[in-house]
Amino acid sequence: MFREDTIAKFRTIQTPFYYYDMELLRKTLSTCAGVAGRFGYKLHYALKANSNPEVLSVISGAGYGADCVSGNEIRAAVENGFNPKQIMFSGVGKSDAEIRLALQLGIQSLNVESRQEMEIIDELAGAIGLKAGISLRIIPNVDARTHRYITTGLEENKFGILPWEFDRVLETLKQLGNLRLKGLHFHIGSQITDLGVFKSLCHRINDINEWFISNQVRAEIINVGGGLGIDYQDPDRNPVPDFGEYFRVFKDFIRLQPDQELHFEPGRALVGQCGSLITKVLFVKKGVNTRFAIVDAGMNDLIRPALYQSYHRMENLTSVDPPEKYDVVGPICESSDCFGKAVSLPKTRRNDLLAIRSAGAYGQTMSSRYNLRDLAAAFYSDRGIAFRNIIRDI
Ligand code: LLP
């Protein structure tokens, strides 16, 4: 997957750093937009997956709208070329300042999660003399069959409005003069690989949509959220998710009124495979039953394995020796700082470079400065090194 000249370049950059294959990003974006366009579906990229300015400007340039979950994400979206009229703002805890920002920018929709939030948005919109376009984030009670931390569409989750609250929500809506209901919003979870889950979602949405229509509420936007998973096991075999198969499920199973639009909020599926975390081996140490490859990236750079026990494929880019098994661990003072146990890698030595694959989504955006470590830089296949927060000499 990595060309020799790319690996030679890696040798000149201080590790750890994120590498983004911008060609793959472009290909993924155009494949997804191509299929969605054929069905007339609208796309909003979920910034939380990766909010690198360089990545954002490529995505906005490919014609995508945005799905944001904070005031800063809304700002980053606008600064990097997204049209406010195509921005959705989701989130279970929006601050007053964030709501005001969204209203002032005239974004497409604030996705509200409770009646109390509706009242607050109404009040803030009234105070600045604006009407707020809102969507109701609804809990469809569909099990995403993914990791429990990234399951969001069940009754016990904190997100959204429950169906037995609908009557009262409609009453509240009638009383509040500064809200305009635009849409119904759903998002049931992330890294969903069983497409049957989306089929169940379609059935639930059909029932809910019909309930609203029978109550004289016709939402112009049906937003089904994101969630399409990627192949972490074999990123080279499946670098671009099967968007055709994914959208086809909605085409086949969702029932829309002629004036209703279907919107999606993909994050991981667009950016996951284009990113790798490149790290250098500092030491190889023999443990009791294992050998540790101690690398210079830590859970602060990529927290997914520690937080969700998630698998990321690892490759040694600089050794072709016969394989041995290693626990690949970082330098952070926690035993959870482990990228993988008993990983088969070509014999690994100090200064070898490892690639931790499929790290383009929820990698850099979830990184922190824990242990006061520097934030990793980013290296883009088409434009060299750039990362605005870089605080060391590279
Ligand atoms: N829309 C909403 C309302 C969301 O909450 C999310 C993700 C998305 C769209 C995008 O979902 P995607 O297409 O990326 O699955 N940090 C976790 C993932 C958390 C996802 C949170 N919500 C991870 O590393 O697996």
Side-chain angles (χ1 to χ4, degrees), residues 46 48-49 67 90 137 150 185 187 189-191 225-228 265-269 304 308 362 366:
K48 62 176 85 64
D67 161 49
S90 303
R137 165 94 181 246
I150 50 178
H185 178 222
H187 171 78
S190 197
Q191 185 52 20
L228 177 63
E265 299 171 335
R268 186 190 321 262
R304 303 194 69 259
Y308 317 113
Y362 308 107
M366 293 182 79

mmCIF file of all heavy atoms in Angstrom, residues 46 48-49 67 90 137 150 185 187 189-191 225-228 265-269 304 308 362 366, ligand 1:
data_model
loop_
_atom_site.group_PDB
_atom_site.id
_atom_site.type_symbol
_atom_site.label_atom_id
_atom_site.label_comp_id
_atom_site.label_asym_id
_atom_site.label_seq_id
_atom_site.Cartn_x
_atom_site.Cartn_y
_atom_site.Cartn_z
ATOM 1 N N ALA A 46 -19.870 14.251 8.552
ATOM 2 C CA ALA A 46 -19.810 14.419 10.013
ATOM 3 C C ALA A 46 -18.383 14.820 10.421
ATOM 4 O O ALA A 46 -17.468 13.994 10.440
ATOM 5 C CB ALA A 46 -20.211 13.112 10.696
ATOM 6 N N LYS A 48 -16.938 15.385 13.092
ATOM 7 C CA LYS A 48 -16.284 14.792 14.255
ATOM 8 C C LYS A 48 -15.311 13.696 13.868
ATOM 9 O O LYS A 48 -14.381 13.403 14.598
ATOM 10 C CB LYS A 48 -17.324 14.279 15.250
ATOM 11 C CG LYS A 48 -18.208 13.195 14.688
ATOM 12 C CD LYS A 48 -19.149 12.656 15.735
ATOM 13 C CE LYS A 48 -20.409 13.477 15.878
ATOM 14 N NZ LYS A 48 -21.266 13.482 14.664
ATOM 15 N N ALA A 49 -15.513 13.091 12.697
ATOM 16 C CA ALA A 49 -14.618 12.005 12.284
ATOM 17 C C ALA A 49 -13.212 12.528 11.983
ATOM 18 O O ALA A 49 -12.214 11.881 12.303
ATOM 19 C CB ALA A 49 -15.191 11.286 11.066
ATOM 20 N N ASP A 67 -22.252 17.993 8.957
ATOM 21 C CA ASP A 67 -22.963 17.674 10.194
ATOM 22 C C ASP A 67 -22.019 18.035 11.329
ATOM 23 O O ASP A 67 -20.915 17.505 11.409
ATOM 24 C CB ASP A 67 -23.296 16.170 10.226
ATOM 25 C CG ASP A 67 -23.601 15.684 11.639
ATOM 26 O OD1 ASP A 67 -24.408 16.332 12.328
ATOM 27 O OD2 ASP A 67 -23.017 14.664 12.058
ATOM 28 N N SER A 90 -26.172 18.902 15.384
ATOM 29 C CA SER A 90 -26.729 17.891 16.289
ATOM 30 C C SER A 90 -26.047 18.013 17.640
ATOM 31 O O SER A 90 -25.049 18.701 17.775
ATOM 32 C CB SER A 90 -26.449 16.481 15.756
ATOM 33 O OG SER A 90 -26.966 16.337 14.477
ATOM 34 N N ARG A 137 -34.676 15.090 16.591
ATOM 35 C CA ARG A 137 -33.848 13.883 16.674
ATOM 36 C C ARG A 137 -34.651 12.830 17.425
ATOM 37 O O ARG A 137 -35.022 13.033 18.586
ATOM 38 C CB ARG A 137 -32.551 14.195 17.419
ATOM 39 C CG ARG A 137 -31.781 12.975 17.884
ATOM 40 C CD ARG A 137 -30.724 12.554 16.908
ATOM 41 N NE ARG A 137 -30.006 11.363 17.337
ATOM 42 C CZ ARG A 137 -28.726 11.326 17.661
ATOM 43 N NH1 ARG A 137 -28.026 12.435 17.677
ATOM 44 N NH2 ARG A 137 -28.136 10.201 17.981
ATOM 45 N N ILE A 150 -20.781 3.212 21.017
ATOM 46 C CA ILE A 150 -21.135 3.967 19.815
ATOM 47 C C ILE A 150 -22.509 3.542 19.275
ATOM 48 O O ILE A 150 -22.820 3.677 18.113
ATOM 49 C CB ILE A 150 -20.025 3.898 18.731
ATOM 50 C CG1 ILE A 150 -19.581 2.450 18.455
ATOM 51 C CG2 ILE A 150 -18.840 4.733 19.148
ATOM 52 C CD1 ILE A 150 -18.530 2.331 17.351
ATOM 53 N N HIS A 185 -34.861 13.511 12.299
ATOM 54 C CA HIS A 185 -33.453 13.109 12.290
ATOM 55 C C HIS A 185 -33.260 11.829 13.084
ATOM 56 O O HIS A 185 -33.834 11.671 14.167
ATOM 57 C CB HIS A 185 -32.612 14.251 12.908
ATOM 58 C CG HIS A 185 -31.154 13.952 13.003
ATOM 59 N ND1 HIS A 185 -30.405 14.276 14.101
ATOM 60 C CD2 HIS A 185 -30.302 13.354 12.142
ATOM 61 C CE1 HIS A 185 -29.155 13.900 13.907
ATOM 62 N NE2 HIS A 185 -29.062 13.339 12.729
ATOM 63 N N HIS A 187 -30.069 8.802 14.099
ATOM 64 C CA HIS A 187 -28.698 8.271 13.962
ATOM 65 C C HIS A 187 -28.578 7.176 15.003
ATOM 66 O O HIS A 187 -28.710 7.437 16.193
ATOM 67 C CB HIS A 187 -27.648 9.366 14.199
ATOM 68 C CG HIS A 187 -26.249 8.800 14.268
ATOM 69 N ND1 HIS A 187 -25.547 8.434 13.146
ATOM 70 C CD2 HIS A 187 -25.459 8.495 15.320
ATOM 71 C CE1 HIS A 187 -24.374 7.942 13.511
ATOM 72 N NE2 HIS A 187 -24.288 7.972 14.825
ATOM 73 N N GLY A 189 -25.999 4.753 15.392
ATOM 74 C CA GLY A 189 -24.713 4.247 15.851
ATOM 75 C C GLY A 189 -23.684 4.287 14.742
ATOM 76 O O GLY A 189 -23.957 4.769 13.644
ATOM 77 N N SER A 190 -22.507 3.774 15.066
ATOM 78 C CA SER A 190 -21.374 3.925 14.166
ATOM 79 C C SER A 190 -20.695 2.573 13.942
ATOM 80 O O SER A 190 -20.890 1.644 14.726
ATOM 81 C CB SER A 190 -20.404 4.901 14.835
ATOM 82 O OG SER A 190 -19.493 5.420 13.925
ATOM 83 N N GLN A 191 -19.890 2.496 12.873
ATOM 84 C CA GLN A 191 -19.205 1.243 12.499
ATOM 85 C C GLN A 191 -20.226 0.101 12.381
ATOM 86 O O GLN A 191 -20.063 -0.984 12.952
ATOM 87 C CB GLN A 191 -18.054 0.933 13.477
ATOM 88 C CG GLN A 191 -17.190 -0.296 13.128
ATOM 89 C CD GLN A 191 -16.652 -0.279 11.695
ATOM 90 O OE1 GLN A 191 -16.583 0.758 11.044
ATOM 91 N NE2 GLN A 191 -16.275 -1.413 11.156
ATOM 92 N N GLY A 225 -28.835 10.031 9.408
ATOM 93 C CA GLY A 225 -27.573 9.998 10.147
ATOM 94 C C GLY A 225 -26.474 9.296 9.375
ATOM 95 O O GLY A 225 -26.523 9.169 8.139
ATOM 96 N N GLY A 226 -25.467 8.836 10.124
ATOM 97 C CA GLY A 226 -24.333 8.154 9.485
ATOM 98 C C GLY A 226 -24.280 6.720 9.950
ATOM 99 O O GLY A 226 -25.312 6.099 10.172
ATOM 100 N N GLY A 227 -23.078 6.203 10.095
ATOM 101 C CA GLY A 227 -22.936 4.887 10.710
ATOM 102 C C GLY A 227 -22.335 3.793 9.857
ATOM 103 O O GLY A 227 -21.960 2.748 10.389
ATOM 104 N N LEU A 228 -22.255 4.005 8.535
ATOM 105 C CA LEU A 228 -21.719 2.931 7.689
ATOM 106 C C LEU A 228 -20.275 2.593 8.094
ATOM 107 O O LEU A 228 -19.433 3.483 8.211
ATOM 108 C CB LEU A 228 -21.778 3.352 6.211
ATOM 109 C CG LEU A 228 -21.187 2.358 5.215
ATOM 110 C CD1 LEU A 228 -21.957 1.036 5.225
ATOM 111 C CD2 LEU A 228 -21.173 2.936 3.807
ATOM 112 N N GLU A 265 -25.484 11.439 6.945
ATOM 113 C CA GLU A 265 -24.365 12.097 7.621
ATOM 114 C C GLU A 265 -23.181 11.149 7.794
ATOM 115 O O GLU A 265 -22.828 10.785 8.910
ATOM 116 C CB GLU A 265 -24.805 12.562 9.018
ATOM 117 C CG GLU A 265 -25.943 13.560 9.012
ATOM 118 C CD GLU A 265 -26.491 13.833 10.411
ATOM 119 O OE1 GLU A 265 -26.350 12.974 11.304
ATOM 120 O OE2 GLU A 265 -27.073 14.913 10.603
ATOM 121 N N PRO A 266 -22.552 10.744 6.713
ATOM 122 C CA PRO A 266 -21.426 9.814 6.857
ATOM 123 C C PRO A 266 -20.182 10.514 7.407
ATOM 124 O O PRO A 266 -19.906 11.663 7.088
ATOM 125 C CB PRO A 266 -21.172 9.340 5.422
ATOM 126 C CG PRO A 266 -21.671 10.458 4.564
ATOM 127 C CD PRO A 266 -22.806 11.104 5.307
ATOM 128 N N GLY A 267 -19.466 9.818 8.261
ATOM 129 C CA GLY A 267 -18.194 10.340 8.770
ATOM 130 C C GLY A 267 -17.102 9.342 8.445
ATOM 131 O O GLY A 267 -16.375 9.462 7.460
ATOM 132 N N ARG A 268 -17.058 8.285 9.254
ATOM 133 C CA ARG A 268 -16.011 7.262 9.125
ATOM 134 C C ARG A 268 -15.874 6.716 7.700
ATOM 135 O O ARG A 268 -14.762 6.530 7.206
ATOM 136 C CB ARG A 268 -16.350 6.107 10.061
ATOM 137 C CG ARG A 268 -15.292 5.040 10.136
ATOM 138 C CD ARG A 268 -15.791 3.805 10.891
ATOM 139 N NE ARG A 268 -16.614 4.078 12.027
ATOM 140 C CZ ARG A 268 -16.193 4.102 13.308
ATOM 141 N NH1 ARG A 268 -14.943 3.821 13.588
ATOM 142 N NH2 ARG A 268 -17.037 4.375 14.277
ATOM 143 N N ALA A 269 -17.024 6.456 7.052
ATOM 144 C CA ALA A 269 -16.980 5.808 5.742
ATOM 145 C C ALA A 269 -16.225 6.673 4.722
ATOM 146 O O ALA A 269 -15.655 6.153 3.766
ATOM 147 C CB ALA A 269 -18.401 5.534 5.248
ATOM 148 N N ARG A 304 -8.725 4.782 20.017
ATOM 149 C CA ARG A 304 -9.754 3.781 19.709
ATOM 150 C C ARG A 304 -9.463 2.388 20.280
ATOM 151 O O ARG A 304 -10.340 1.779 20.875
ATOM 152 C CB ARG A 304 -10.002 3.706 18.198
ATOM 153 C CG ARG A 304 -10.422 5.047 17.567
ATOM 154 C CD ARG A 304 -10.989 4.884 16.180
ATOM 155 N NE ARG A 304 -12.264 4.219 16.200
ATOM 156 C CZ ARG A 304 -12.454 2.970 15.913
ATOM 157 N NH1 ARG A 304 -11.456 2.221 15.496
ATOM 158 N NH2 ARG A 304 -13.655 2.446 15.986
ATOM 159 N N TYR A 308 -12.341 1.439 22.823
ATOM 160 C CA TYR A 308 -13.364 0.511 22.304
ATOM 161 C C TYR A 308 -12.804 -0.877 22.018
ATOM 162 O O TYR A 308 -13.468 -1.682 21.368
ATOM 163 C CB TYR A 308 -13.958 1.027 20.983
ATOM 164 C CG TYR A 308 -14.283 2.485 20.925
ATOM 165 C CD1 TYR A 308 -13.571 3.335 20.079
ATOM 166 C CD2 TYR A 308 -15.316 3.030 21.680
ATOM 167 C CE1 TYR A 308 -13.873 4.680 19.999
ATOM 168 C CE2 TYR A 308 -15.625 4.361 21.597
ATOM 169 C CZ TYR A 308 -14.898 5.191 20.758
ATOM 170 O OH TYR A 308 -15.193 6.511 20.658
ATOM 171 N N TYR A 362 -11.827 9.459 13.591
ATOM 172 C CA TYR A 362 -11.768 9.405 15.056
ATOM 173 C C TYR A 362 -10.357 9.069 15.547
ATOM 174 O O TYR A 362 -10.185 8.425 16.576
ATOM 175 C CB TYR A 362 -12.814 8.403 15.600
ATOM 176 C CG TYR A 362 -14.198 8.672 15.063
ATOM 177 C CD1 TYR A 362 -14.787 7.852 14.104
ATOM 178 C CD2 TYR A 362 -14.908 9.791 15.490
ATOM 179 C CE1 TYR A 362 -16.044 8.124 13.592
ATOM 180 C CE2 TYR A 362 -16.176 10.072 14.981
ATOM 181 C CZ TYR A 362 -16.730 9.235 14.038
ATOM 182 O OH TYR A 362 -17.983 9.508 13.531
ATOM 183 N N MET A 366 -9.752 12.713 18.100
ATOM 184 C CA MET A 366 -9.894 12.267 19.489
ATOM 185 C C MET A 366 -8.561 12.305 20.232
ATOM 186 O O MET A 366 -8.458 11.788 21.344
ATOM 187 C CB MET A 366 -10.481 10.857 19.531
ATOM 188 C CG MET A 366 -11.909 10.799 19.035
ATOM 189 S SD MET A 366 -12.615 9.139 19.138
ATOM 190 C CE MET A 366 -13.027 9.039 20.878
HETATM 191 N N1 LLP B 1 -24.391 11.830 12.755
HETATM 192 C C1 LLP B 1 -24.468 11.846 14.099
HETATM 193 C C2 LLP B 1 -25.594 12.524 14.743
HETATM 194 C C3 LLP B 1 -23.469 11.216 14.871
HETATM 195 O O1 LLP B 1 -23.546 11.224 16.192
HETATM 196 C C4 LLP B 1 -22.384 10.561 14.215
HETATM 197 C C5 LLP B 1 -21.324 9.896 14.980
HETATM 198 C C6 LLP B 1 -22.340 10.584 12.796
HETATM 199 C C7 LLP B 1 -23.376 11.225 12.107
HETATM 200 C C8 LLP B 1 -21.233 9.952 12.014
HETATM 201 O O2 LLP B 1 -21.188 8.587 12.192
HETATM 202 P P1 LLP B 1 -20.186 7.689 11.317
HETATM 203 O O3 LLP B 1 -20.673 7.734 9.893
HETATM 204 O O4 LLP B 1 -18.805 8.219 11.464
HETATM 205 O O5 LLP B 1 -20.332 6.341 11.899
HETATM 206 N N2 LLP B 1 -15.512 7.751 18.263
HETATM 207 C C9 LLP B 1 -16.195 6.568 17.800
HETATM 208 C C10 LLP B 1 -17.337 6.914 16.859
HETATM 209 C C11 LLP B 1 -18.325 7.860 17.488
HETATM 210 C C12 LLP B 1 -19.431 8.244 16.538
HETATM 211 C C13 LLP B 1 -20.298 9.317 17.110
HETATM 212 N N3 LLP B 1 -21.333 9.798 16.246
HETATM 213 C C14 LLP B 1 -15.193 5.632 17.150
HETATM 214 O O6 LLP B 1 -14.007 5.938 17.114
HETATM 215 O O7 LLP B 1 -15.553 4.538 16.700
#
